[in-house]
Amino acid sequence: MKALVKVKPGKGFTLMDMPEPVIERPNEVIIKVKYASICGTDVHIYQWDEWSEKRIKPPRIIGHELCGEVVEAGKEVKSVKIGDIVSAETHIVCGDCYQCKIGNMHICDNVKILGVDIDGVFAEYVKIPALNAWKVSSNIPIEVVSLFEPFGNAVHSTLIDEIVGKDVAVFGCGPIGLMSIGVAKVSGAKRVFAVEVSDYRLDFAKMMGADFLINPLEEDPVELILDKTDGHGVDVFLEMSGNPKAIIQGIKATKKGGRVSLLGIPKDKVVFEDFAEDIVFKYLKIYGINGRLMFKTWYQANALLESGKVNLKPLITHKFKLEEYDKAMQLLINKKAIKILFEINP
Ligand code: ZN
């Protein structure tokens, strides 16, 4: 089968023939990939940054955001059947560790990530445990099914604590930030402040329902947010940028007793000038977000898409064949795309 592979350490991918996966355990399913979308993680692996060098053991088929059809199921599989359209939870968990046993599968001590630690979805077929195959409702547009996984991150970050009637600031309007704006708005947030350096992305933030668009290269987001909230700051800060400066600004723009969801991953150190004043005395409630609750978040995400309350279609800015991977990666590197779909067996 055709697959996009990191063949050896270094930059780039190779499109090549790879053996089709075969069922080895009774709880596995084979999925024929219809669409797969590109995540920032795939771009990091393409560019071969420090993280990729430590984590990826080539050869590895890349990709984890999946929309596909179940074509084969192991003999113990009951949750899905041949012909079902599924997306995939990308955390492959052990089921035996302390975290799995106390109901925190999403932070399993032995987690393996699809397309990172095991072969992924930028291929004609992929094998996953049936537990990880999420059967989607039939009225969800098929193009957005591969977006379930990043959308789950947005849902988890936004809904981990109260949102109704809250002022919300989203720092960083990449795909997950943009999705969070949509989730916050339909979940009863009072107003959403979108903070983003790219005007291209701010246009999408507006489309997702943001009330205030702030480009921090042009205006001071902390001053502006404090001004619009009578000097108190927002109730909820969703950190989706991974930029150390944005993290500090976001916390300064958060109200005393406010809530912070941290999803962005900083490459550099985050240094607080006054940790006590900024965080401790402000009585902030800070959540680190890792993945999606398995599977509460998936039910919430499914409901939001099924009801049509959140529309992810406008976020798909490009569709490409696997052969066009270099072009797709360059668009993402240059921030000229929001979400790119590979059409594999559409
Ligand atoms: Zn585990």
Side-chain angles (χ1 to χ4, degrees):
M1 65 171 184
K2 205 160 56 178
L4 205 50
V5 185
K6 176 65 86 177
V7 182
K8 55 180 194 313
K11 283 190 197 314
F13 293 143
T14 306
L15 186 67
M16 58 188 286
D17 253 324
M18 291 290 278
E20 284 181 18
V22 285
I23 289 192
E24 289 161 299
R25 298 189 186 92
N27 65 342
E28 292 172 335
V29 289
I30 307 273
I31 313 288
K32 185 177 185 183
V33 181
K34 294 170 94 61
Y35 298 97
S37 38
I38 308 176
C39 169
T41 304
D42 306 317
V43 180
H44 291 306
I45 300 171
Y46 178 81
Q47 294 177 300
W48 202 244
D49 65 359
E50 220 175 289
W51 170 85
S52 311
E53 203 168 347
K54 279 188 208 142
R55 182 74 179 253
I56 308 286
K57 307 269 177 284
R60 174 73 62 234
I61 300 173
I62 303 308
H64 57 269
E65 297 183 7
L66 168 72
C67 166
E69 180 183 345
V70 179
V71 290
E72 215 185 315
K75 59 180 191 295
E76 284 176 14
V77 174
K78 292 191 183 73
S79 53
V80 290
K81 57 181 195 306
I82 311 294
D84 282 350
I85 299 296
V86 297
S87 191
E89 166 54 56
T90 56
H91 286 193
I92 316 283
V93 301
C94 75
D96 287 325
C97 72
Y98 170 78
Q99 297 296 351
C100 281
K101 287 199 162 152
I102 67 163
N104 281 339
M105 278 195 280
H106 63 296
I107 48 169
C108 166
D109 290 329
N110 304 307
V111 69
K112 288 193 173 73
I113 297 181
L114 190 61
V116 170
D117 307 308
I118 64 165
D119 280 338
V121 306
F122 292 165
E124 292 180 87
Y125 296 91
V126 64
K127 178 174 73 174
I128 57 174
L131 175 73
N132 292 70
W134 177 264
K135 187 184 168 183
V136 300
S137 300
S138 57
N139 65 337
I140 294 176
I142 192 134
E143 295 98 323
V144 308
V145 169
S146 72
L147 272 54
F148 245 95
E149 192 260 18
F151 184 56
N153 286 334
V155 170
H156 190 189
S157 304
T158 310
L159 301 183
I160 196 166
D161 208 329
E162 277 186 71
I163 198 83
V164 175
K166 305 291 186 187
D167 274 333
V168 179
V170 177
F171 278 62
C173 297
I176 300 175
L178 292 169
M179 292 172 187
S180 302
I181 294 170
V183 175
K185 285 300 285 187
V186 303
S187 304
K190 183 181 168 196
R191 299 178 295 180
V192 176
F193 298 79
V195 183
E196 165 61 50
V197 294
S198 150
D199 288 330
Y200 171 74
R201 286 175 164 186
L202 280 176
D203 286 341
F204 287 88
K206 188 172 183 201
M207 199 190 307
M208 296 306 284
D211 300 276
F212 297 95
L213 307 174
I214 306 171
N215 186 330
L217 301 178
E218 288 160 17
E219 348 177 50
D220 181 344
V222 182
E223 247 174 54
L224 210 138
I225 290 171
L226 291 177
D227 181 57
K228 299 283 181 201
T229 53
D230 296 330
H232 296 300
V234 289
D235 305 280
V236 176
F237 163 37
L238 305 178
E239 205 314 287
M240 304 287 174
S241 75
N243 181 318
K245 193 175 172 190
I247 294 171
I248 289 162
Q249 286 177 327
I251 283 180
K252 284 191 186 297
T254 305
K255 190 186 267 181
K256 281 198 276 183
R259 182 256 291 200
V260 178
S261 288
L262 300 173
L263 182 92
I265 300 161
K267 272 194 235 146
D268 302 310
K269 281 182 187 168
V270 183
V271 181
F272 288 90
E273 275 173 42
D274 196 334
F275 194 87
E277 283 297 336
D278 286 340
I279 294 173
V280 182
F281 297 138
K282 271 182 86 167
Y283 193 56
L284 293 185
K285 201 191 256 188
I286 300 183
Y287 296 93
I289 305 293
N290 184 349
R292 300 138 299 277
L293 296 176
M294 294 168 66
F295 283 83
K296 179 182 172 183
T297 305
W298 286 83
Y299 285 100
Q300 292 172 316
N302 199 87
L304 287 168
L305 295 178
E306 193 181 14
S307 65
K309 289 198 162 82
V310 179
N311 180 12
L312 300 181
K313 264 194 188 172
L315 301 183
I316 301 168
T317 52
H318 301 77
K319 292 179 189 175
F320 287 123
K321 303 282 171 220
L322 265 187
E323 285 77 5
E324 300 170 288
Y325 64 91
D326 272 324
K327 198 163 137 191
M329 292 297 157
Q330 288 310 323
L331 279 170
L332 289 168
I333 289 165
N334 297 321
K335 296 190 165 50
K336 293 275 164 48
I338 301 295
K339 221 46 190 161
I340 297 181
L341 286 194
F342 282 131
E343 297 177 304
I344 299 178
N345 295 296

